[in-house]
Structures are given as structure tokens and as C-alpha cells.
Amino acid sequence: MSLPEWKLPPGVPRGVWDYAQSVAVAQDYDDYHALNPLFEFEEAVLREEFSRPGTVADLGCGTGRALLPLVREGHRGLAIDLSQNMLDVVREKAELERLPVECLQANLTELDAVADQSVDYAMCLFSTLGMIRQRKMRRRALAHMRRVLRPGGRLVLHVHNFWFNLWDPGGPWWVARSLAAAASPRARGGDWDLGDKYFPYRGVPNFYLHVFRERELRADLRTAELAVRRWIPLEVRRRHALPHPWFARALRANGWIVVVER
């Protein structure tokens, strides 16, 4: 569904909206990401952190690749995504296996349909938090995540590292331009944040992704009153944790998996 810019949901940039509306992206999602090395490591962290059966909210669930294995192991699932096409795939999979999964189409900055303290665990993976435009909107989404968690509940996040772009072709120039633009009127007005990227992805010419600095994300989590339990820097291929993280991890980490608690 095509929307004029002024009608886009809060925090949702044009490229992310177009991505969410694509039937082809949803139908091809599992095959396209079948060999992604990050997913196996993420799933291991989720099993460690979500050890007791409970209700798990997957915030930006895609086709349910992380949620459904947990439900098979005894959890109840709440699949939340902006894309109805993705949710259709989740629902089809869950019905086929008779898994207890509820699907909800929602924007992560507008999660009022989910009751306070109604889930035991939550996850926001594959840099979904970074697909929310404007820092105030990302903070609003984090506040919702805390709100829906029961006391002691845990949230697992994955994000990309701003400084790791220095290793990409053309990356140093992008970092330099971004740092220079941080003092611009657009940035001061809140319309652009250091770490905002636009690039072609899966047929979407202007996909949006915000990449984080560690200090920035820690500040956002403190603002949301979420306490960090584990901070896992990822090695270049994202197959496991970064070895020797004490050495220049700000530059070497591809991104982070972060476990926080309400």
C-alpha cells in the first residue's frame, strides 16, 4: 500500500514501509536468510536467557525464524510485525504445527495494544531497533518494551556498530561525512541522527537503518530504565562473540547482542 510521506506511521521511514509491504520479500525471507551465521548464535543466547517457559514477544518477528523454535520448546508466542505479509507466513507455520502463537500487526513505537506487564520475555533482533527513524522514536519503542515486560522480564536486542563501517569499502568516507553532518541544522532539529544510513536492499532503493555507538545505546537503555545483564560484541562474521573484547572492541565489533532486564 503506497502512502504519502505525511501518512507514514511514527518512526517508520519510506524504505522500511516499502519493505514491509512487499509480498515478495516475505515469501522469500526464509530462503534469502537461510545461511545467515548470526541466527544460530542468537538462538543460543535466547535459549540461555529464556530458560523457563513463558510468553515471548518477538518485536519485528519477520517470518518467525527465532520465535517458533522457542514455542516448540514450551513457550507461548506473540509475533509482532509492521508487515502483514510476514505475519501471514508466521500464522501459516504456527497453524501447520498447532503452535500457540498470537499474531499482531503493529508499529513498535505504537504498542498500546499489548497490555502492561503481559510478557515474560521479549526480543528485537536482526537490527530491527535500528529500522526505527529518529532517536526519540527508538526510545519510545524501548519504553514500550519495558512496559510490556513483567518485573524481572528480559529483553534481547541486536544492533549494528557505527564504527565497524570503517572496515567497509567507502566506509571511512561515510563515517567522516556522518561526523561532519552531526553539527548540521538538520541534525540539531532532530530530523537526522549520527548513524542514519540509506541504501538499496531487497529491491527497496532507499532502505533505512540506524547503526549505533555503544555509548548511545547504553544511554537509550538507561532512559528506558532497562538494566544491562549481558553485552556481547560480535565478531566480523557474527558467528560468535568477539574474541579478546578488551582490545579495541569499539572498532572491531560488527554489532552487539544485548540482554537487558526490567
Side-chain angles (χ1 to χ4, degrees), residues 139-193:
R139 287 185 167 188
R140 181 187 294 183
L142 287 170
H144 273 298
M145 295 177 200
R146 182 189 185 281
R147 178 184 61 77
V148 304
L149 279 171
R150 295 189 175 106
R154 295 176 188 175
L155 165 67
V156 178
L157 297 165
H158 165 259
V159 300
H160 288 292
N161 177 16
F162 173 86
W163 296 108
F164 194 76
N165 285 272
L166 289 168
W167 302 102
D168 291 338
W173 291 108
W174 177 81
V175 169
R177 289 195 303 270
S178 297
L179 291 170
S184 69
R186 185 183 177 196
R188 290 196 299 270
D191 193 46
W192 178 88
D193 294 309

Side-chain angles (χ1 to χ4, degrees), residues 86-226:
M86 295 286 192
L87 292 172
D88 289 343
V89 177
V90 176
R91 186 175 291 107
E92 182 179 349
K93 290 178 179 178
E95 289 177 352
L96 187 64
E97 298 185 50
R98 298 184 179 179
L99 297 174
V101 177
E102 181 182 353
C103 294
L104 173 66
Q105 184 182 19
N107 177 10
L108 296 187
T109 69
E110 300 176 302
L111 277 181
D112 302 281
V114 184
D116 294 359
Q117 301 183 22
S118 59
V119 303
D120 301 285
Y121 309 108
M123 51 189 175
C124 188
L125 302 175
F126 207 26
S127 210
T128 297
L129 183 65
M131 297 178 198
I132 300 171
R133 184 173 171 271
Q134 294 188 318
R135 189 177 192 182
K136 65 181 181 181
M137 291 299 171
R138 292 187 290 274
R139 287 185 167 188
R140 181 187 294 183
L142 287 170
H144 273 298
M145 295 177 200
R146 182 189 185 281
R147 178 184 61 77
V148 304
L149 279 171
R150 295 189 175 106
R154 295 176 188 175
L155 165 67
V156 178
L157 297 165
H158 165 259
V159 300
H160 288 292
N161 177 16
F162 173 86
W163 296 108
F164 194 76
N165 285 272
L166 289 168
W167 302 102
D168 291 338
W173 291 108
W174 177 81
V175 169
R177 289 195 303 270
S178 297
L179 291 170
S184 69
R186 185 183 177 196
R188 290 196 299 270
D191 193 46
W192 178 88
D193 294 309
L194 179 62
D196 286 357
K197 300 182 74 173
Y198 293 88
F199 53 93
Y201 180 64
R202 304 292 311 276
V204 177
N206 58 341
F207 189 78
Y208 169 88
L209 183 68
H210 180 80
V211 292
F212 292 78
R213 291 154 292 136
E214 180 171 341
R215 182 172 62 179
E216 169 196 3
L217 181 57
R218 285 186 183 274
D220 291 348
L221 293 171
R222 283 196 302 272
T223 298
E225 299 182 27
L226 290 164

